[in-house]
Short mmCIF file of all heavy atoms in Angstrom, two decimals:
data_model
loop_
_atom_site.label_atom_id
_atom_site.label_comp_id
_atom_site.label_asym_id
_atom_site.label_seq_id
_atom_site.Cartn_x
_atom_site.Cartn_y
_atom_site.Cartn_z
N PHE I 43 114.71 -31.76 95.68
CA PHE I 43 116.13 -32.04 95.60
C PHE I 43 116.33 -33.27 94.74
O PHE I 43 115.69 -34.30 94.99
CB PHE I 43 116.70 -32.34 96.99
CG PHE I 43 116.88 -31.15 97.87
CD1 PHE I 43 115.80 -30.54 98.46
CD2 PHE I 43 118.15 -30.65 98.11
CE1 PHE I 43 115.96 -29.44 99.28
CE2 PHE I 43 118.32 -29.55 98.93
CZ PHE I 43 117.23 -28.94 99.52
N VAL I 44 117.19 -33.18 93.76
CA VAL I 44 117.59 -34.33 92.96
C VAL I 44 119.09 -34.49 93.20
O VAL I 44 119.87 -33.60 92.85
CB VAL I 44 117.27 -34.16 91.47
CG1 VAL I 44 117.78 -35.34 90.66
CG2 VAL I 44 115.78 -33.96 91.26
N ILE I 45 119.46 -35.60 93.83
CA ILE I 45 120.84 -35.81 94.27
C ILE I 45 121.39 -37.04 93.56
O ILE I 45 120.82 -38.12 93.65
CB ILE I 45 120.88 -36.01 95.80
CG1 ILE I 45 120.17 -34.86 96.49
CG2 ILE I 45 122.32 -36.17 96.28
CD1 ILE I 45 119.69 -35.18 97.90
N ARG I 46 122.49 -36.84 92.85
CA ARG I 46 123.14 -37.94 92.15
C ARG I 46 124.29 -38.44 93.00
O ARG I 46 125.21 -37.69 93.32
CB ARG I 46 123.61 -37.48 90.77
CG ARG I 46 122.42 -37.20 89.84
CD ARG I 46 122.75 -36.35 88.65
NE ARG I 46 123.21 -35.00 88.96
CZ ARG I 46 122.44 -33.99 89.32
NH1 ARG I 46 121.14 -34.16 89.45
NH2 ARG I 46 122.93 -32.80 89.57
N LEU I 47 124.21 -39.73 93.38
CA LEU I 47 125.15 -40.31 94.34
C LEU I 47 126.09 -41.32 93.68
O LEU I 47 125.73 -41.95 92.70
CB LEU I 47 124.38 -41.04 95.44
CG LEU I 47 123.46 -40.20 96.29
CD1 LEU I 47 122.55 -41.09 97.11
CD2 LEU I 47 124.27 -39.29 97.18
N ALA I 48 127.24 -41.50 94.29
CA ALA I 48 128.18 -42.53 93.84
C ALA I 48 128.08 -43.78 94.71
O ALA I 48 128.63 -44.81 94.35
CB ALA I 48 129.60 -41.97 93.88
N ASP I 49 127.36 -43.70 95.84
CA ASP I 49 127.35 -44.79 96.81
C ASP I 49 125.92 -45.12 97.25
O ASP I 49 125.25 -44.29 97.88
CB ASP I 49 128.20 -44.39 98.01
CG ASP I 49 128.42 -45.49 99.02
OD1 ASP I 49 127.75 -46.54 98.93
OD2 ASP I 49 129.26 -45.30 99.92
N ASP I 50 125.46 -46.33 96.95
CA ASP I 50 124.12 -46.76 97.35
C ASP I 50 123.94 -46.77 98.86
O ASP I 50 122.84 -46.56 99.37
CB ASP I 50 123.82 -48.17 96.82
CG ASP I 50 123.63 -48.20 95.31
OD1 ASP I 50 123.22 -47.18 94.73
OD2 ASP I 50 123.90 -49.26 94.72
N LYS I 51 125.00 -47.03 99.61
CA LYS I 51 124.90 -47.10 101.08
C LYS I 51 124.48 -45.76 101.67
O LYS I 51 123.75 -45.72 102.66
CB LYS I 51 126.22 -47.57 101.68
CG LYS I 51 126.52 -49.02 101.35
CD LYS I 51 127.84 -49.45 101.91
CE LYS I 51 128.14 -50.87 101.46
NZ LYS I 51 129.45 -51.33 101.87
N VAL I 52 124.94 -44.68 101.09
CA VAL I 52 124.54 -43.35 101.56
C VAL I 52 123.03 -43.18 101.37
O VAL I 52 122.32 -42.72 102.27
CB VAL I 52 125.32 -42.24 100.83
CG1 VAL I 52 124.79 -40.87 101.19
CG2 VAL I 52 126.82 -42.34 101.14
N ALA I 53 122.53 -43.55 100.20
CA ALA I 53 121.09 -43.46 99.94
C ALA I 53 120.29 -44.32 100.90
O ALA I 53 119.24 -43.90 101.39
CB ALA I 53 120.80 -43.87 98.50
N GLU I 54 120.78 -45.51 101.20
CA GLU I 54 120.07 -46.39 102.13
C GLU I 54 119.97 -45.78 103.52
O GLU I 54 118.94 -45.90 104.19
CB GLU I 54 120.78 -47.74 102.18
CG GLU I 54 120.63 -48.54 100.89
CD GLU I 54 121.58 -49.72 100.78
OE1 GLU I 54 122.28 -50.05 101.77
OE2 GLU I 54 121.64 -50.32 99.69
N GLU I 55 121.01 -45.09 103.96
CA GLU I 55 120.97 -44.42 105.27
C GLU I 55 119.94 -43.30 105.27
O GLU I 55 119.19 -43.13 106.22
CB GLU I 55 122.35 -43.86 105.64
CG GLU I 55 123.29 -44.88 106.22
CD GLU I 55 122.80 -45.42 107.56
OE1 GLU I 55 122.73 -44.67 108.54
OE2 GLU I 55 122.49 -46.62 107.61
N VAL I 56 119.92 -42.52 104.19
CA VAL I 56 118.94 -41.43 104.09
C VAL I 56 117.53 -42.01 104.09
O VAL I 56 116.64 -41.51 104.80
CB VAL I 56 119.21 -40.57 102.83
CG1 VAL I 56 118.08 -39.57 102.61
CG2 VAL I 56 120.55 -39.85 102.95
N LEU I 57 117.29 -43.07 103.32
CA LEU I 57 115.97 -43.69 103.26
C LEU I 57 115.53 -44.23 104.62
O LEU I 57 114.35 -44.17 104.98
CB LEU I 57 115.96 -44.81 102.23
CG LEU I 57 115.99 -44.37 100.77
CD1 LEU I 57 116.27 -45.55 99.86
CD2 LEU I 57 114.70 -43.68 100.39
N LYS I 58 116.47 -44.76 105.37
CA LYS I 58 116.16 -45.32 106.69
C LYS I 58 115.55 -44.26 107.62
O LYS I 58 114.70 -44.55 108.45
CB LYS I 58 117.44 -45.89 107.32
CG LYS I 58 117.18 -46.66 108.59
CD LYS I 58 118.43 -47.16 109.30
CE LYS I 58 119.58 -47.58 108.45
NZ LYS I 58 120.73 -48.09 109.24
N PHE I 59 116.00 -43.02 107.46
CA PHE I 59 115.53 -41.93 108.33
C PHE I 59 114.68 -40.92 107.57
O PHE I 59 114.61 -39.75 107.94
CB PHE I 59 116.74 -41.24 108.97
CG PHE I 59 117.57 -42.15 109.81
CD1 PHE I 59 118.81 -42.58 109.39
CD2 PHE I 59 117.10 -42.60 111.04
CE1 PHE I 59 119.58 -43.44 110.16
CE2 PHE I 59 117.85 -43.45 111.82
CZ PHE I 59 119.09 -43.87 111.38
N ARG I 60 114.00 -41.36 106.53
CA ARG I 60 113.24 -40.49 105.63
C ARG I 60 112.27 -39.54 106.34
O ARG I 60 111.98 -38.46 105.83
CB ARG I 60 112.50 -41.32 104.59
CG ARG I 60 111.37 -42.12 105.17
CD ARG I 60 110.63 -43.03 104.19
NE ARG I 60 110.59 -42.59 102.85
CZ ARG I 60 110.96 -43.34 101.80
NH1 ARG I 60 111.40 -44.56 101.98
NH2 ARG I 60 110.87 -42.86 100.58
N ASP I 61 111.75 -39.92 107.49
CA ASP I 61 110.80 -39.06 108.21
C ASP I 61 111.48 -38.13 109.21
O ASP I 61 110.81 -37.40 109.94
CB ASP I 61 109.77 -39.92 108.96
CG ASP I 61 108.87 -40.68 108.00
OD1 ASP I 61 108.49 -40.11 106.97
OD2 ASP I 61 108.57 -41.85 108.28
N GLU I 62 112.80 -38.16 109.25
CA GLU I 62 113.55 -37.38 110.25
C GLU I 62 114.77 -36.73 109.63
O GLU I 62 115.89 -36.88 110.10
CB GLU I 62 113.98 -38.31 111.38
CG GLU I 62 112.83 -39.04 112.05
CD GLU I 62 113.29 -40.16 112.96
OE1 GLU I 62 114.40 -40.68 112.79
OE2 GLU I 62 112.50 -40.54 113.83
N LEU I 63 114.56 -35.96 108.54
CA LEU I 63 115.68 -35.37 107.81
C LEU I 63 115.66 -33.85 107.85
O LEU I 63 114.61 -33.22 107.72
CB LEU I 63 115.64 -35.79 106.33
CG LEU I 63 115.73 -37.28 106.03
CD1 LEU I 63 115.58 -37.50 104.53
CD2 LEU I 63 117.03 -37.86 106.54
N ASN I 64 116.84 -33.28 108.01
CA ASN I 64 117.07 -31.86 107.81
C ASN I 64 118.09 -31.74 106.69
O ASN I 64 119.10 -32.45 106.68
CB ASN I 64 117.64 -31.21 109.07
CG ASN I 64 116.62 -31.06 110.16
OD1 ASN I 64 115.48 -30.72 109.90
ND2 ASN I 64 117.01 -31.30 111.39
N LEU I 65 117.83 -30.85 105.75
CA LEU I 65 118.76 -30.60 104.65
C LEU I 65 119.27 -29.17 104.78
O LEU I 65 118.49 -28.26 105.05
CB LEU I 65 118.06 -30.77 103.30
CG LEU I 65 117.58 -32.18 102.97
CD1 LEU I 65 116.20 -32.44 103.54
CD2 LEU I 65 117.59 -32.39 101.49
N PHE I 66 120.56 -29.01 104.60
CA PHE I 66 121.18 -27.69 104.69
C PHE I 66 121.98 -27.43 103.43
O PHE I 66 122.67 -28.32 102.94
CB PHE I 66 122.12 -27.62 105.89
CG PHE I 66 121.44 -27.85 107.20
CD1 PHE I 66 121.40 -29.11 107.76
CD2 PHE I 66 120.83 -26.81 107.88
CE1 PHE I 66 120.76 -29.34 108.97
CE2 PHE I 66 120.19 -27.03 109.09
CZ PHE I 66 120.16 -28.30 109.64
N VAL I 67 121.88 -26.21 102.92
CA VAL I 67 122.65 -25.82 101.73
C VAL I 67 123.40 -24.54 102.05
O VAL I 67 122.83 -23.59 102.60
CB VAL I 67 121.72 -25.61 100.52
CG1 VAL I 67 122.52 -25.10 99.32
CG2 VAL I 67 121.00 -26.90 100.17
N VAL I 68 124.69 -24.54 101.70
CA VAL I 68 125.53 -23.35 101.84
C VAL I 68 125.91 -22.93 100.42
O VAL I 68 126.49 -23.71 99.66
CB VAL I 68 126.79 -23.65 102.68
CG1 VAL I 68 127.65 -22.40 102.78
CG2 VAL I 68 126.41 -24.14 104.06
N ASP I 69 125.57 -21.69 100.08
CA ASP I 69 125.84 -21.14 98.76
C ASP I 69 127.23 -20.52 98.77
O ASP I 69 127.55 -19.71 99.64
CB ASP I 69 124.78 -20.07 98.46
CG ASP I 69 124.86 -19.52 97.06
OD1 ASP I 69 125.96 -19.48 96.48
OD2 ASP I 69 123.81 -19.09 96.55
N ASP I 70 128.05 -20.89 97.80
CA ASP I 70 129.41 -20.35 97.71
C ASP I 70 129.44 -18.83 97.64
O ASP I 70 130.37 -18.20 98.12
CB ASP I 70 130.13 -20.91 96.48
CG ASP I 70 130.53 -22.35 96.64
OD1 ASP I 70 130.59 -22.83 97.78
OD2 ASP I 70 130.77 -23.00 95.61
N GLU I 71 128.42 -18.25 97.02
CA GLU I 71 128.38 -16.80 96.87
C GLU I 71 127.93 -16.09 98.14
O GLU I 71 128.11 -14.89 98.26
CB GLU I 71 127.48 -16.43 95.69
CG GLU I 71 128.03 -16.93 94.37
CD GLU I 71 127.12 -16.59 93.20
OE1 GLU I 71 126.20 -15.77 93.36
OE2 GLU I 71 127.34 -17.17 92.13
N LYS I 72 127.32 -16.82 99.08
CA LYS I 72 126.87 -16.25 100.36
C LYS I 72 127.27 -17.21 101.48
O LYS I 72 126.41 -17.83 102.12
CB LYS I 72 125.36 -16.08 100.36
CG LYS I 72 124.82 -15.18 99.29
CD LYS I 72 123.30 -15.16 99.36
CE LYS I 72 122.69 -14.54 98.14
NZ LYS I 72 121.25 -14.69 98.12
N PRO I 73 128.57 -17.38 101.75
CA PRO I 73 129.00 -18.39 102.72
C PRO I 73 128.55 -18.12 104.15
O PRO I 73 128.60 -19.02 104.98
CB PRO I 73 130.52 -18.36 102.60
CG PRO I 73 130.84 -17.03 102.03
CD PRO I 73 129.68 -16.64 101.16
N ASP I 74 128.08 -16.91 104.44
CA ASP I 74 127.60 -16.61 105.79
C ASP I 74 126.11 -16.91 105.97
O ASP I 74 125.55 -16.71 107.04
CB ASP I 74 127.90 -15.16 106.15
CG ASP I 74 127.25 -14.17 105.19
OD1 ASP I 74 127.04 -14.53 104.02
OD2 ASP I 74 126.96 -13.03 105.61
N VAL I 75 125.46 -17.41 104.91
CA VAL I 75 124.04 -17.75 104.97
C VAL I 75 123.88 -19.25 104.71
O VAL I 75 124.42 -19.80 103.76
CB VAL I 75 123.21 -16.96 103.93
CG1 VAL I 75 121.76 -17.41 103.94
CG2 VAL I 75 123.33 -15.47 104.16
N LYS I 76 123.13 -19.91 105.58
CA LYS I 76 122.82 -21.32 105.41
C LYS I 76 121.31 -21.43 105.23
O LYS I 76 120.55 -20.73 105.89
CB LYS I 76 123.26 -22.12 106.64
CG LYS I 76 123.13 -23.62 106.48
CD LYS I 76 123.51 -24.37 107.75
CE LYS I 76 124.98 -24.47 107.93
NZ LYS I 76 125.36 -25.36 109.06
N THR I 77 120.89 -22.30 104.31
CA THR I 77 119.46 -22.51 104.09
C THR I 77 119.10 -23.89 104.61
O THR I 77 119.74 -24.88 104.27
CB THR I 77 119.10 -22.39 102.60
OG1 THR I 77 119.55 -21.10 102.11
CG2 THR I 77 117.60 -22.50 102.40
N TRP I 78 118.07 -23.91 105.45
CA TRP I 78 117.60 -25.15 106.07
C TRP I 78 116.30 -25.54 105.40
O TRP I 78 115.36 -24.74 105.31
CB TRP I 78 117.40 -24.90 107.56
CG TRP I 78 116.74 -25.98 108.34
CD1 TRP I 78 116.77 -27.32 108.13
CD2 TRP I 78 115.94 -25.79 109.51
NE1 TRP I 78 116.05 -27.98 109.09
CE2 TRP I 78 115.53 -27.06 109.95
CE3 TRP I 78 115.55 -24.67 110.23
CZ2 TRP I 78 114.73 -27.24 111.07
CZ3 TRP I 78 114.75 -24.85 111.35
CH2 TRP I 78 114.36 -26.13 111.77
N TYR I 79 116.24 -26.76 104.90
CA TYR I 79 115.04 -27.31 104.29
C TYR I 79 114.60 -28.53 105.11
O TYR I 79 115.45 -29.26 105.62
CB TYR I 79 115.31 -27.81 102.87
CG TYR I 79 115.72 -26.76 101.89
CD1 TYR I 79 117.05 -26.38 101.75
CD2 TYR I 79 114.79 -26.16 101.05
CE1 TYR I 79 117.45 -25.44 100.82
CE2 TYR I 79 115.17 -25.22 100.11
CZ TYR I 79 116.50 -24.86 100.01
OH TYR I 79 116.89 -23.93 99.07
N TYR I 80 113.31 -28.73 105.20
CA TYR I 80 112.82 -29.94 105.87
C TYR I 80 111.48 -30.34 105.30
O TYR I 80 110.81 -29.56 104.64
CB TYR I 80 112.76 -29.78 107.38
CG TYR I 80 112.00 -28.58 107.88
CD1 TYR I 80 110.68 -28.68 108.27
CD2 TYR I 80 112.61 -27.33 107.96
CE1 TYR I 80 109.98 -27.58 108.74
CE2 TYR I 80 111.93 -26.23 108.41
CZ TYR I 80 110.62 -26.35 108.80
OH TYR I 80 109.93 -25.26 109.24
N SER I 81 111.13 -31.58 105.54
CA SER I 81 109.90 -32.14 105.01
C SER I 81 109.06 -32.67 106.17
O SER I 81 109.59 -33.34 107.04
CB SER I 81 110.21 -33.27 104.03
OG SER I 81 109.03 -33.88 103.60
N SER I 82 107.79 -32.38 106.12
CA SER I 82 106.92 -32.86 107.20
C SER I 82 106.33 -34.24 106.90
O SER I 82 105.71 -34.83 107.76
CB SER I 82 105.79 -31.86 107.44
OG SER I 82 105.02 -31.70 106.27
N ASP I 83 106.55 -34.74 105.68
CA ASP I 83 105.92 -36.02 105.33
C ASP I 83 106.88 -37.07 104.76
O ASP I 83 106.44 -38.10 104.26
CB ASP I 83 104.75 -35.80 104.37
CG ASP I 83 105.17 -35.13 103.08
OD1 ASP I 83 106.37 -34.92 102.84
OD2 ASP I 83 104.27 -34.80 102.28
N GLY I 84 108.17 -36.86 104.81
CA GLY I 84 109.14 -37.89 104.45
C GLY I 84 109.11 -38.36 103.02
O GLY I 84 109.31 -39.53 102.74
N ARG I 85 108.85 -37.44 102.07
CA ARG I 85 108.82 -37.86 100.66
C ARG I 85 110.24 -37.97 100.11
O ARG I 85 110.86 -36.99 99.72
CB ARG I 85 107.98 -36.91 99.84
CG ARG I 85 106.50 -37.07 100.20
CD ARG I 85 105.61 -36.38 99.24
NE ARG I 85 105.79 -34.94 99.36
CZ ARG I 85 105.39 -34.07 98.45
NH1 ARG I 85 104.81 -34.49 97.35
NH2 ARG I 85 105.58 -32.79 98.63
N VAL I 86 110.75 -39.19 100.14
CA VAL I 86 112.10 -39.50 99.70
C VAL I 86 112.03 -40.75 98.83
O VAL I 86 111.43 -41.74 99.23
CB VAL I 86 113.04 -39.77 100.90
CG1 VAL I 86 114.45 -40.06 100.44
CG2 VAL I 86 113.02 -38.61 101.89
N ASP I 87 112.64 -40.69 97.66
CA ASP I 87 112.67 -41.84 96.76
C ASP I 87 114.10 -42.02 96.26
O ASP I 87 114.84 -41.05 96.12
CB ASP I 87 111.74 -41.63 95.56
CG ASP I 87 110.28 -41.59 95.97
OD1 ASP I 87 109.82 -42.60 96.53
OD2 ASP I 87 109.63 -40.56 95.74
N TYR I 88 114.44 -43.28 95.95
CA TYR I 88 115.76 -43.56 95.40
C TYR I 88 115.63 -44.44 94.17
O TYR I 88 115.01 -45.51 94.22
CB TYR I 88 116.64 -44.25 96.44
CG TYR I 88 118.05 -44.49 95.97
CD1 TYR I 88 118.84 -43.44 95.53
CD2 TYR I 88 118.58 -45.77 95.95
CE1 TYR I 88 120.14 -43.64 95.09
CE2 TYR I 88 119.89 -45.99 95.51
CZ TYR I 88 120.66 -44.91 95.08
OH TYR I 88 121.94 -45.12 94.64
N ASP I 89 116.19 -43.99 93.08
CA ASP I 89 116.27 -44.76 91.84
C ASP I 89 117.65 -45.41 91.83
O ASP I 89 118.65 -44.75 91.54
CB ASP I 89 116.10 -43.84 90.63
CG ASP I 89 116.37 -44.53 89.30
OD1 ASP I 89 116.53 -45.77 89.28
OD2 ASP I 89 116.42 -43.82 88.29
N LYS I 90 117.69 -46.68 92.22
CA LYS I 90 118.97 -47.39 92.37
C LYS I 90 119.71 -47.50 91.04
O LYS I 90 120.93 -47.33 91.00
CB LYS I 90 118.73 -48.78 92.97
CG LYS I 90 120.00 -49.44 93.42
CD LYS I 90 119.71 -50.67 94.26
CE LYS I 90 121.02 -51.23 94.79
NZ LYS I 90 120.82 -52.23 95.82
N ALA I 91 119.00 -47.77 89.96
CA ALA I 91 119.65 -47.92 88.65
C ALA I 91 120.32 -46.60 88.22
O ALA I 91 121.43 -46.61 87.71
CB ALA I 91 118.64 -48.36 87.60
N GLY I 92 119.63 -45.49 88.47
CA GLY I 92 120.18 -44.19 88.09
C GLY I 92 120.97 -43.52 89.20
O GLY I 92 121.51 -42.44 89.00
N ARG I 93 120.99 -44.18 90.38
CA ARG I 93 121.67 -43.63 91.57
C ARG I 93 121.24 -42.18 91.84
O ARG I 93 122.06 -41.30 92.05
CB ARG I 93 123.17 -43.73 91.44
CG ARG I 93 123.66 -45.14 91.57
CD ARG I 93 125.13 -45.20 91.80
NE ARG I 93 125.48 -46.52 92.27
CZ ARG I 93 126.69 -47.02 92.18
NH1 ARG I 93 127.67 -46.30 91.69
NH2 ARG I 93 126.94 -48.22 92.62
N THR I 94 119.93 -41.99 91.81
CA THR I 94 119.36 -40.66 92.02
C THR I 94 118.40 -40.67 93.20
O THR I 94 117.43 -41.43 93.21
CB THR I 94 118.62 -40.18 90.75
OG1 THR I 94 119.52 -40.23 89.65
CG2 THR I 94 118.11 -38.77 90.93
N LEU I 95 118.68 -39.84 94.16
CA LEU I 95 117.86 -39.67 95.36
C LEU I 95 117.02 -38.41 95.16
O LEU I 95 117.56 -37.36 94.79
CB LEU I 95 118.77 -39.53 96.57
CG LEU I 95 118.19 -39.47 97.95
CD1 LEU I 95 117.52 -40.80 98.31
CD2 LEU I 95 119.28 -39.16 98.96
N THR I 96 115.72 -38.51 95.37
CA THR I 96 114.83 -37.36 95.23
C THR I 96 114.15 -37.11 96.57
O THR I 96 113.59 -38.03 97.16
CB THR I 96 113.77 -37.61 94.14
OG1 THR I 96 114.43 -37.91 92.91
CG2 THR I 96 112.88 -36.39 93.96
N ILE I 97 114.22 -35.87 97.02
CA ILE I 97 113.62 -35.48 98.30
C ILE I 97 112.77 -34.24 98.06
O ILE I 97 113.22 -33.29 97.42
CB ILE I 97 114.69 -35.17 99.36
CG1 ILE I 97 115.58 -36.39 99.59
CG2 ILE I 97 114.05 -34.68 100.67
CD1 ILE I 97 116.78 -36.13 100.49
N ILE I 98 111.54 -34.25 98.56
CA ILE I 98 110.67 -33.08 98.49
C ILE I 98 110.62 -32.44 99.87
O ILE I 98 110.27 -33.08 100.85
CB ILE I 98 109.24 -33.47 98.06
CG1 ILE I 98 109.23 -34.21 96.72
CG2 ILE I 98 108.35 -32.22 98.03
CD1 ILE I 98 109.69 -33.40 95.54
N ALA I 99 111.01 -31.18 99.91
CA ALA I 99 110.96 -30.41 101.16
C ALA I 99 109.82 -29.41 101.07
O ALA I 99 109.63 -28.78 100.03
CB ALA I 99 112.29 -29.69 101.39
N ASP I 100 109.07 -29.27 102.16
CA ASP I 100 107.94 -28.35 102.12
C ASP I 100 108.15 -27.10 102.97
O ASP I 100 107.27 -26.26 103.06
CB ASP I 100 106.64 -29.05 102.50
CG ASP I 100 106.67 -29.70 103.86
OD1 ASP I 100 107.62 -29.49 104.62
OD2 ASP I 100 105.73 -30.44 104.16
N ALA I 101 109.32 -26.95 103.55
CA ALA I 101 109.61 -25.76 104.34
C ALA I 101 111.06 -25.36 104.14
O ALA I 101 111.93 -26.20 103.87
CB ALA I 101 109.33 -26.02 105.80
N ARG I 102 111.32 -24.07 104.29
CA ARG I 102 112.66 -23.53 104.06
C ARG I 102 112.87 -22.33 104.97
O ARG I 102 111.97 -21.55 105.20
CB ARG I 102 112.77 -23.12 102.61
CG ARG I 102 113.97 -22.32 102.28
CD ARG I 102 113.88 -21.77 100.88
NE ARG I 102 114.83 -20.69 100.78
CZ ARG I 102 115.43 -20.33 99.68
NH1 ARG I 102 115.17 -20.95 98.56
NH2 ARG I 102 116.29 -19.35 99.68
N LEU I 103 114.12 -22.21 105.48
CA LEU I 103 114.47 -21.08 106.34
C LEU I 103 115.91 -20.71 106.07
O LEU I 103 116.80 -21.57 106.12
CB LEU I 103 114.29 -21.48 107.81
CG LEU I 103 114.73 -20.46 108.85
CD1 LEU I 103 113.81 -19.24 108.82
CD2 LEU I 103 114.71 -21.09 110.24
#
Side-chain angles (χ1 to χ4, degrees):
F43 284 75
V44 177
I45 307 158
R46 291 162 297 282
L47 299 167
D49 187 349
D50 290 332
K51 291 178 184 176
V52 173
E54 290 166 8
E55 279 296 294
V56 171
L57 287 168
K58 188 184 325 182
F59 299 107
R60 69 183 330 127
D61 294 321
E62 303 168 338
L63 299 176
N64 287 319
L65 294 87
F66 299 94
V67 176
V68 179
D69 186 331
D70 286 341
E71 295 179 13
K72 300 177 193 172
D74 59 332
V75 176
K76 187 183 282 188
T77 304
W78 171 30
Y79 297 86
Y80 53 97
S81 176
S82 60
D83 59 6
R85 289 192 292 163
V86 181
D87 294 300
Y88 184 57
D89 172 9
K90 192 168 185 168
R93 288 195 165 159
T94 304
L95 186 66
T96 303
I97 301 172
I98 303 295
D100 57 9
R102 169 189 162 150
L103 175 68

